[in-house]
Amino acid sequence: MSRHQYSMVLDLNKCLGCQTCTMACKKMWTDGDGMDYMYWNNVETRPGQGYPRKWDEMGGGFDRGQLRPSEIPTKEDYGQTFEYNYEARMYGGAASAQPHQEVRNTPNWDEDVGALMLGENYYFYLPRICNHCTNPACLAACPRSAIYKREEDGIVLIDQERCEGYRHCIQACPYKKIYFNELLGKSQKCIFCYPRLEKGDVNACAKQCPGRIRFVGLLDDPHSTVHKLVKVHKVALGLFPEKGTDPNVFYVPPFNPPRTGNYGKSILEDPRLPLDYLIYLFGEEVVEVIRRLEAELKVAQSGGRSEVLQLLIGRDAGVRYQIAQREDLVQIQPARHA
Amino acid sequence: MRSLLGFAFVIGAAVAAELTVGARSGVTGDLNPAGAVWQAVEASKLALHRTPPQYATEPPSALEIASVEVKVIRGAGKTWVRLAWPDPSAETASLDKPKKMWQSEGLVRQSAATNRFFDGCAVMLPAQPVANDLFPSLQMGDALHPVLIYYYDAARGAEVMEAAGRGTTKRTGRKFPARATWAGGNWTIVLELPEVAAGTPLSVAVWNGGQQDRDGRKYFSVWHRLQ
């Protein structure tokens, strides 16, 4: 286990699905050769097929301590990459701009489709990055020890010199957040913007987020917002906890989506989306988390002060991010919680 | 300390088997697998073994590549090794060379696939002369008995690799001449190696990309002495 652990909390109640984080990451890290189809950060509509397609049904992670590698997603599972006939449209008299090929799948292919519940449509957005797990299945699966977890901050990285592109890591990752660059013959993934963190700046996806949904800091730093949300107030959960990798990206679940005629009623009293679906994503504990969030909301609605809601508003960068200076990483005394 | 070293030496090395690979000496080999010079070279048939599945979710592979035919020519300070084995499908590709790693402008070169693997083969040799008939571990040698691997990949070509134990394989960046043909359900590949002395043990490995073979997931022979 690393001495400290960087963590991110994402408030799904605030995600607009605008993909600004996706583009910030794409321009920052994955616009090189062989990386065309990679989105280290993606935002997918839930319920939905996800990116890569049906990643949540593929497998991976651990089962009673044993690695359960899955199939490797195909390029079509990730979604095609294509160009438009701009030249023909602009100068050749084409009536419209069209893709060069028939498009059958793209990331967030089923955008805003969602599902029906009692005749009403519902959906929400799920932004995803590498979970920088405490027990990374990718690291356990790599026969070359090319994947390592940084001792100082828990960020999981792939040594591009040691990687031979065997892709056991892709098969092992239950979140399918590792990508293969066929031209380089290397596996690549989200690096939690460690070069930015080392300069005191926050991750590009978090910094660009117009909805201010992301919180970044050390999970073991008692002064960090991520620590308060995850460890103290316990209002954020990791995805698919049963996969056994102990993810370090946490989500505040959608707990009170608006609905005509149900003002004041919680999702537990008058479900706007099926609780079963949230339990599927976050485990049984999501029910307790929603109760806590509802209680905090009631406090605020009755004129009280809720620290949880004040934090989740994320008024400014000082509230949302606590980026440690390198010397801090040594000095921070981890908080102790049962 | 002495006994510890002795222990490491014994577990790290395999005792020589009395298996041999014939070689024709005194002529110049031909990189062309169909070259006439190969017709006069005696072929050795090396039995191949399959590495066991690493994970419970990995389907066991049928041993459909039971052996590899090996022909060796030694001469002019070089050694040519010609490998031939049956493989009903050729997993090969011509890959674009990446130029732009980060922050490129304009169109990027695309990855065509994420889940394909390519056919390949390798000849493994001890990196140092063997002594006392003790050969390096078949699992890529060990710290006291490093190995050299002349590796050919049907998409990326030939490259020399070094290893000193399982999981330590390292690309050297050194290329070597090799030429491969696939026809009628058979691969035939000639690798041009530096001079390999008679008596040196060699081992052969074959990867079938069609069943996602890579790294330790492969067919391999035990050590055979080069005659």
Side-chain angles (χ1 to χ4, degrees), chain A residues 17-25 41 43 204-205 208-210:
Chain A
C18 66
Q19 307 283 359
T20 307
C21 50
T22 308
M23 288 301 108
C25 178
N41 178 106
V43 183
C205 56
Q208 294 295 325
C209 177

Side-chain angles (χ1 to χ4, degrees), chain B residues 147-204:
Chain B
V147 293
L148 285 173
I149 298 143
Y150 292 85
Y151 175 69
Y152 178 86
D153 175 303
R156 294 193 167 80
E159 187 173 346
V160 183
M161 303 177 93
E162 298 171 340
R166 196 175 174 195
T168 66
T169 314
K170 191 171 71 179
R171 287 180 186 271
T172 62
R174 296 201 307 275
K175 303 290 181 186
F176 65 94
R179 196 183 299 174
T181 59
W182 182 89
N186 289 286
W187 274 110
T188 313
I189 299 180
V190 176
L191 311 177
E192 184 182 304
L193 278 47
E195 185 168 20
V196 180
T200 302
L202 65 81
S203 163
V204 174

Side-chain angles (χ1 to χ4, degrees), chain A residues 27-29 31-34 36-37 69 73-75 81 83 141 144 162 164 166-168 171 182 185, chain B residues 55 57 99-104 107-117 156 167 169 171 214-215:
Chain A
K27 288 304 290 178
M28 179 68 66
W29 300 119
D31 72 345
D33 287 342
D36 46 292
Y37 76 98
T74 64
K75 185 104 191 266
T81 45
E83 281 296 322
R144 292 186 53 74
R162 286 210 54 75
E164 280 290 333
Y166 295 151
R167 285 161 271 178
H168 296 294
Q171 293 182 282
E182 191 180 44
Chain B
Y55 307 110
T57 49
K99 287 182 180 170
K100 303 164 187 166
M101 293 290 289
W102 314 103
Q103 297 291 341
S104 63
L107 291 179
V108 297
R109 289 158 197 256
Q110 299 198 357
S111 278
T114 54
N115 63 338
R116 64 178 172 177
F117 295 88
R156 294 193 167 80
T169 314
R171 287 180 186 271
R214 76 277 203 191
D215 75 280

Side-chain angles (χ1 to χ4, degrees), chain A residues 149-309:
Chain A
K149 188 168 176 67
R150 299 213 304 187
E151 173 69 16
E152 66 270 32
D153 56 16
I155 294 174
V156 177
L157 298 174
I158 302 174
D159 181 337
Q160 295 287 283
E161 293 294 318
R162 286 210 54 75
C163 177
E164 280 290 333
Y166 295 151
R167 285 161 271 178
H168 296 294
C169 54
I170 298 174
Q171 293 182 282
C173 174
Y175 306 102
K176 294 294 170 272
K177 267 295 171 191
I178 303 183
Y179 308 86
F180 181 60
N181 184 326
E182 191 180 44
L183 301 189
L184 290 173
K186 307 284 183 187
S187 294
Q188 301 176 320
K189 64 179 273 299
C190 160
I191 57 174
F192 209 73
C193 282
Y194 77 86
R196 292 172 62 91
L197 295 176
E198 288 176 0
K199 290 184 176 177
D201 208 349
V202 73
N203 313 53
C205 56
K207 185 149 191 171
Q208 294 295 325
C209 177
R212 300 183 304 194
I213 79 161
R214 299 191 187 221
F215 304 83
V216 179
L218 293 171
L219 194 56
D220 51 313
D221 173 4
H223 304 294
S224 74
T225 298
V226 293
H227 174 87
K228 291 172 185 168
L229 292 172
V230 175
K231 299 290 187 185
V232 179
H233 299 293
K234 295 184 167 59
V235 292
L237 295 167
L239 265 179
F240 295 111
E242 73 277 12
K243 298 289 187 182
T245 62
D246 206 353
N248 286 303
V249 173
F250 300 89
Y251 297 92
V252 179
F255 73 102
N256 193 15
R259 179 184 187 178
T260 309
N262 83 333
Y263 181 77
K265 289 183 181 173
S266 81
I267 189 173
L268 298 175
E269 295 173 90
D270 182 15
R272 174 72 178 88
L273 53 84
L275 206 54
D276 281 352
Y277 192 68
L278 295 182
I279 292 171
Y280 167 68
L281 291 175
F282 302 111
E284 295 282 349
E285 202 184 339
V286 76
V287 178
E288 278 307 306
V289 166
I290 290 171
R291 284 208 178 96
R292 286 183 204 118
L293 287 162
E294 289 288 354
E296 295 291 338
L297 188 60
K298 283 202 166 53
V299 168
Q301 285 172 336
S302 56
R305 188 179 187 284
S306 159
E307 187 189 15
V308 171
L309 294 190

Side-chain angles (χ1 to χ4, degrees), chain A residues 22 34 60 74 115 132 179 195 241 264 320 329 332:
Chain A
T22 308
T74 64
H132 297 275
Y179 308 86
R320 299 196 298 277
L329 291 171
I332 287 171

Side-chain angles (χ1 to χ4, degrees), chain B:
Chain B
M1 187 64 191
R2 187 186 169 94
S3 61
L4 274 178
L5 276 176
F7 179 67
F9 187 75
V10 170
I11 61 164
V15 178
E18 290 306 315
L19 298 169
T20 57
V21 171
R24 185 178 176 201
S25 299
V27 295
T28 301
D30 189 347
L31 262 185
N32 179 6
V37 68
W38 290 110
Q39 290 173 14
V41 180
E42 184 191 354
S44 304
K45 194 172 177 182
L46 272 56
L48 291 176
H49 310 275
R50 181 71 184 171
T51 50
Q54 295 179 50
Y55 307 110
T57 49
E58 187 179 314
S61 180
L63 186 69
E64 83 270 22
I65 304 178
S67 63
V68 57
E69 182 198 270
V70 182
K71 291 184 176 183
V72 179
I73 293 176
R74 289 194 290 124
K78 291 177 182 170
T79 300
W80 289 265
V81 180
R82 180 183 183 273
L83 305 175
W85 72 91
D87 184 345
S89 62
E91 275 75 40
T92 182
S94 178
L95 297 174
D96 278 346
K97 294 257 182 301
K99 287 182 180 170
K100 303 164 187 166
M101 293 290 289
W102 314 103
Q103 297 291 341
S104 63
E105 294 297 330
L107 291 179
V108 297
R109 289 158 197 256
Q110 299 198 357
S111 278
T114 54
N115 63 338
R116 64 178 172 177
F117 295 88
F118 303 109
D119 296 335
C121 64
V123 170
M124 181 164 74
L125 300 167
Q128 302 154 359
V130 296
N132 304 323
D133 280 350
L134 286 169
F135 296 172
S137 163
L138 270 176
Q139 292 191 333
M140 324 311 286
D142 58 73
L144 295 176
H145 308 87
V147 293
L148 285 173
I149 298 143
Y150 292 85
Y151 175 69
Y152 178 86
D153 175 303
R156 294 193 167 80
E159 187 173 346
V160 183
M161 303 177 93
E162 298 171 340
R166 196 175 174 195
T168 66
T169 314
K170 191 171 71 179
R171 287 180 186 271
T172 62
R174 296 201 307 275
K175 303 290 181 186
F176 65 94
R179 196 183 299 174
T181 59
W182 182 89
N186 289 286
W187 274 110
T188 313
I189 299 180
V190 176
L191 311 177
E192 184 182 304
L193 278 47
E195 185 168 20
V196 180
T200 302
L202 65 81
S203 163
V204 174
V206 166
W207 287 265
N208 177 11
Q211 57 185 16
Q212 300 201 336
D213 282 1
R214 76 277 203 191
D215 75 280
R217 187 168 163 167
K218 66 190 176 194
Y219 302 94
F220 67 98
S221 79
V222 296
W223 290 111
H224 288 65
R225 266 190 199 281
L226 185 63
Q227 286 187 327

